[in-house]
Amino acid sequence: PQSYPVCNHTLMLLSDSHTCPLVSTAKVGKTSLIMSLVSEEFPDDVPLRAEEITIPADVTPERVPTHIVDYSEAEQSDEQLYQEISKANVICIVYSVNNKKSIEKVTSHWIPLINDRTDKDSRVPLILVGNKSDLVEHSSMETILPIMNQYSDIETCVECSAKNLKNISELFYYAQKAVLHPTGPLYCPEEKEMKPSCIKSLTRIFKVSDLDNDGILNDKELNFFQRTCFNMPLAPQALEDVKNVVRKNMTDGVEDNGLTLKGFLFLHTLFIQRGRHETTWTVLRRFGYDDDLELHQEYLFPLLKIPADCTTELNHNAYLFLQSVFDKHDKDRDCALSPDEVKDLFKVFPYMPWGPDVNNTVCTNDQGWITYQGYLSQWTLTTYLDVQRCLEYLGYLGYSIICEQESQAAAITVTRNKRIDLQKKQTQRSVFRCNILGARGSGKTSFLQAFLGRNLLKQRKIREDHKSFYSINTTYVYGQEKYLLVRLCISLPVSCFLGTFELFTFCNCLPKCYDINNPYLQYFMDSKTPCMMIASKSDLHEARQHYSLTPLDFCRKNKLHPPQPWTCNTVDAPNKDLYTKLTTMAMYPHMAQADLKSSTFWLRASVGATVFAVLGFAMYRAILKQR
């Protein structure tokens, strides 16, 4: 069973029909075919041209309304003919089985005419219709088969009779089928093999359906695939029959009692060669492909409304899905993705979505490979900054299919308005953003990388063209895991900040770096966004500031916390307490600065972070050991 979008298809009937007010021996009966279909009896009086007829969707096998358009050379001009050809979804060329001249005109006149009036890359499918089969005892197929082999646009040939109603319904069924399940995009008759674009699409479908990524579709995966595409599982014997067909035709189509990619592609080639195009098309459309074997824009970018002052996050089910994708490709079970494993993961994408900057945006292991936590962090970052791209990526991975959801939009949580959070003095958000400000050389970039556990020595090894403007990692506040996204802002004088709306509007807190070893410069403006002064490079000697106020006095005057000493010039990974404080500020922007300056407040947050960091590491070790 398969449902299709409600659409109208135009069916055009053409023939070598020379009409005369008196008599004509050249008639082939195309108008009679239309009238026989409608009245279910052979008409006594046949007009020169039948009026346009619409077959309702509920009386057709494919449940798609069809418009039947007749053409008469006697009543219509060439220009009208060309217009009808340009609008047609399928064209039936009618000939008389007992008239050789009408058969010859199929190739000498009609096919060249149609090809001249249609785009080469999107040819209209053709149906050859041999009428008046009641007048002969032989078939015209011997003559027609070479023509079908010569022209790949011809989908099929049907011999029928308007007089005794033979194959009339079948004619229009095949015409509909040629529109809904065309051979052209799938198969090359000359080469007798599937086209590269079809192989590419089916390969992606195979990889998405291969849930354990072992290169084989086992019985469980085949049944899920069958149920996903056709709404019914296969009986055990039916599964074996399918695999036996593959075994008989190729040696490497079945391995470990499962279907390989070669076997999967062979089955679809077999379906197409046996005229079962609808089976392959049902699979392709279920996985989001259009008639040109491109993923539908509606599939990749489902509608998602995001009100102002709201952000986007992944929900629990989305994280579970992404975890399964990670596990599927983490073949060596080291809780990190090697470069080859990353490439394998993104083989279902038309391009590589992650560049080398990603490795400097999220946590990596000692080899520089993205860890499990870093992997989830990158997905969180993409969802927060560019949710449409996240929807696209989830579409390539088959989220809606594997998770049996209507679309990828089901993976996204749209947070409530920021004003409501301030009114209720609590937030439901899990992702917070801070924009780090400061003069050139104040330590902003180091602050980003230190959040990922990299000290100054490791940071110096990062290539300039691989650096990132973002870093994202998890922190724990009162036992709750949250994501903190740190955005590096370019160095600007204070006067420029006044017009930099995004710096203050699209973030939850504003840390401002200054180098204690250099004269202090003011980077501050009145803002409702929580701020924090960071005294970077605290391992160096503190220089006297060339400003009327010391940093401490400046913070007191503006009711900020005291400057927070920070350095990444350490032997081990830099301390992360400061990031926990920033997350806490972002979570509780309504709290007075006095409350945030309370040492008890920070102690509670820091203890919670420490406990959960230890628990998180223990769980990480436990998972690693279990694997």
Side-chain angles (χ1 to χ4, degrees):
Q2 174 69 22
S3 60
Y4 299 99
V6 177
C7 55
N8 295 329
H9 297 300
T10 300
L11 169 65
M12 190 174 178
L13 297 178
L14 303 179
S15 74
D16 177 29
S17 174
H18 302 282
T19 307
C20 178
L22 298 174
V23 292
S24 174
T25 58
K27 290 184 177 181
V28 298
K30 63 176 175 54
T31 304
S32 298
L33 284 172
I34 299 174
M35 299 186 73
S36 294
L37 173 72
V38 176
S39 62
E40 296 186 351
E41 62 181 9
F42 187 66
D44 294 327
D45 298 319
V46 182
L48 290 176
R49 183 172 68 94
E51 296 296 325
E52 182 175 324
I53 295 169
T54 299
I55 304 176
D58 56 357
V59 298
T60 62
E62 300 292 353
R63 305 195 67 78
V64 177
T66 303
H67 303 294
I68 301 175
V69 179
D70 194 4
Y71 170 72
S72 170
E73 289 179 325
E75 288 192 355
Q76 293 172 285
S77 66
D78 288 345
E79 189 59 36
Q80 288 175 305
L81 170 63
Y82 302 152
Q83 289 178 3
E84 295 295 351
I85 289 176
S86 65
K87 294 188 295 184
N89 301 102
V90 58
I91 298 175
C92 293
I93 305 176
V94 184
Y95 65 91
S96 176
V97 295
N98 65 342
N99 187 330
K100 289 185 178 180
K101 287 186 178 180
S102 68
I103 296 176
E104 290 172 0
K105 274 221 164 185
V106 169
T107 56
S108 65
H109 177 68
W110 289 116
I111 293 180
L113 175 67
I114 294 168
N115 287 344
D116 287 343
R117 295 291 164 177
T118 53
D119 185 60
K120 185 178 180 181
D121 296 327
S122 56
R123 288 280 168 83
V124 178
L126 306 176
I127 305 291
L128 300 187
V129 181
N131 193 23
K132 301 186 179 182
S133 64
D134 57 291
L135 298 181
V136 297
E137 294 183 358
H138 64 274
S139 172
S140 63
M141 286 301 176
E142 187 175 339
T143 307
I144 294 299
L145 279 176
I147 298 175
M148 294 180 65
N149 290 331
Q150 182 181 354
Y151 295 97
S152 59
D153 303 336
I154 300 174
E155 288 287 326
T156 190
C157 176
V158 182
E159 290 190 341
C160 58
S161 169
K163 187 172 184 179
N164 61 21
L165 308 183
K166 176 187 175 183
N167 287 343
I168 302 297
S169 297
E170 285 77 3
L171 158 63
F172 296 103
Y173 165 73
Y174 283 118
Q176 278 193 329
K177 184 177 176 181
V179 177
L180 295 171
H181 313 121
T183 307
L186 306 182
Y187 189 75
C188 180
E190 293 85 1
E191 302 293 334
K192 295 184 179 180
E193 59 184 26
M194 284 192 295
K195 291 186 175 179
S197 57
C198 183
I199 293 174
K200 181 181 178 181
S201 301
L202 290 173
T203 300
R204 171 186 166 264
I205 291 170
F206 180 90
K207 288 189 68 66
V208 168
S209 304
D210 183 12
L211 301 179
D212 56 9
N213 198 33
D214 63 350
I216 297 170
L217 295 184
N218 57 40
D219 286 358
K220 183 179 178 181
E221 291 165 340
L222 281 171
N223 257 317
F224 180 79
F225 171 82
Q226 174 75 12
R227 183 165 51 84
T228 297
C229 296
F230 305 101
N231 297 325
M232 61 179 69
L234 279 174
Q237 186 56 50
L239 272 174
E240 284 305 311
D241 292 343
V242 168
K243 287 183 278 190
N244 285 334
V245 169
V246 177
R247 287 189 184 101
K248 289 178 182 178
N249 288 275
M250 58 194 317
T251 57
D252 52 355
V254 177
E255 291 180 8
D256 297 331
N257 202 36
L259 201 63
T260 65
L261 174 60
K262 288 185 177 179
F264 183 75
L265 294 176
F266 166 78
L267 275 179
H268 282 283
T269 304
L270 197 63
F271 291 145
I272 296 167
Q273 290 174 340
R274 293 184 177 180
R276 294 286 305 279
H277 316 86
E278 64 270 21
T279 301
T280 300
W281 274 116
T282 299
V283 171
L284 289 165
R285 288 182 174 126
R286 179 65 184 90
F287 278 79
Y289 289 94
D290 61 16
D291 291 348
D292 298 318
L293 298 187
E294 298 289 342
L295 288 172
H296 274 290
Q297 291 297 294
E298 293 81 2
Y299 169 79
L300 291 176
F301 304 103
L303 182 63
L304 182 67
K305 294 183 179 179
I306 307 169
D309 287 335
C310 298
T311 59
T312 47
E313 301 177 0
L314 294 166
N315 59 32
H316 178 66
N317 289 333
Y319 279 117
L320 289 178
F321 170 76
L322 291 171
Q323 178 183 339
S324 70
V325 173
F326 182 93
D327 291 339
K328 174 178 174 177
H329 294 90
D330 182 20
K331 294 181 179 179
D332 54 8
R333 296 293 183 262
D334 63 348
C335 289
L337 294 178
S338 68
D340 287 340
E341 290 170 341
V342 171
K343 287 180 182 178
D344 186 47
L345 190 154
F346 290 125
K347 278 184 179 178
V348 295
F349 284 57
Y351 56 87
M352 174 58 71
W354 291 0
D357 60 310
V358 172
N359 294 61
N360 296 310
T361 303
V362 300
C363 291
T364 58
N365 64 11
D366 292 337
Q367 294 170 284
W369 300 351
I370 297 172
T371 63
Y372 171 69
Q373 184 56 54
Y375 163 84
L376 293 182
S377 296
Q378 179 63 24
W379 277 100
T380 303
L381 175 74
T382 304
T383 308
Y384 185 93
L385 295 178
D386 190 350
V387 69
Q388 290 299 316
R389 181 155 297 194
C390 176
L391 292 173
E392 178 190 359
Y393 291 174
L394 289 173
Y396 294 138
L397 291 173
Y399 173 82
S400 61
I401 296 161
I402 302 302
C403 295
E404 301 181 78
Q405 298 290 336
E406 185 176 343
S407 73
Q408 296 89 264
I412 307 299
T413 294
V414 179
T415 63
R416 68 188 182 190
N417 192 292
K418 192 175 179 181
R419 291 193 303 272
I420 298 176
D421 285 350
L422 291 172
Q423 291 169 4
K424 293 183 176 292
K425 298 183 179 181
Q426 60 180 1
T427 183
Q428 299 172 333
R429 300 186 181 193
S430 297
V431 185
F432 300 92
R433 172 175 173 171
C434 71
N435 292 338
I436 179 88
L437 310 178
R440 184 180 299 276
S442 61
K444 303 189 303 298
T445 304
S446 295
F447 188 79
L448 253 71
Q449 291 300 315
F451 190 25
L452 307 177
R454 295 165 188 163
N455 59 23
L456 191 60
L457 184 62
K458 290 184 177 179
Q459 292 180 28
R460 286 172 177 166
K461 297 178 181 179
I462 300 175
R463 286 175 48 175
E464 190 67 30
D465 57 336
H466 289 181
K467 288 183 178 180
S468 172
F469 286 99
Y470 292 93
S471 68
I472 183 170
N473 203 352
T474 54
T475 61
Y476 289 90
V477 178
Y478 293 129
Q480 300 178 59
E481 184 184 57
K482 302 293 180 182
Y483 282 94
L484 180 64
L485 188 166
V486 184
R487 167 70 160 94
L488 176 66
C489 295
I490 59 175
S491 304
L492 293 171
V494 176
S495 58
C496 291
F497 286 161
L498 299 175
T500 313
F501 179 74
E502 183 185 356
L503 289 178
F504 306 97
T505 304
F506 301 111
C507 70
N508 305 104
C509 60
L510 280 169
K512 300 170 183 180
C513 268
Y514 73 94
D515 182 354
I516 68 166
N517 195 239
N518 281 327
Y520 170 62
L521 296 175
Q522 181 186 9
Y523 275 79
F524 176 76
M525 70 165 284
D526 290 332
S527 169
K528 294 181 180 179
T529 305
C531 301
M532 177 187 287
M533 300 300 295
I534 299 175
S536 68
K537 306 182 185 180
S538 60
D539 57 304
L540 301 178
H541 174 72
E542 184 171 3
R544 182 179 179 181
Q545 305 299 321
H546 298 167
Y547 186 64
S548 57
L549 291 175
T550 66
L552 181 58
D553 291 337
F554 179 82
C555 290
R556 286 172 179 169
K557 179 182 177 181
N558 292 283
K559 298 181 179 179
L560 299 176
H561 334 136
Q564 303 292 306
W566 175 84
T567 183
C568 62
N569 190 12
T570 57
V571 176
D572 299 319
N575 191 291
K576 293 185 180 180
D577 287 349
L578 196 53
Y579 304 97
T580 302
K581 291 183 180 182
L582 288 171
T583 310
T584 307
M585 287 173 57
M587 286 179 65
Y588 303 102
H590 58 279
M591 296 185 67
Q593 294 291 344
D595 293 334
L596 286 174
K597 285 189 285 185
S598 167
S599 59
T600 306
F601 179 89
W602 292 122
L603 183 61
R604 291 199 305 267
S606 297
V607 169
T610 303
V611 169
F612 276 84
V614 172
L615 287 175
F617 182 73
M619 291 175 66
Y620 174 89
R621 292 292 298 273
I623 293 173
L624 186 63
K625 184 177 181 181
Q626 186 179 15
R627 287 178 172 179

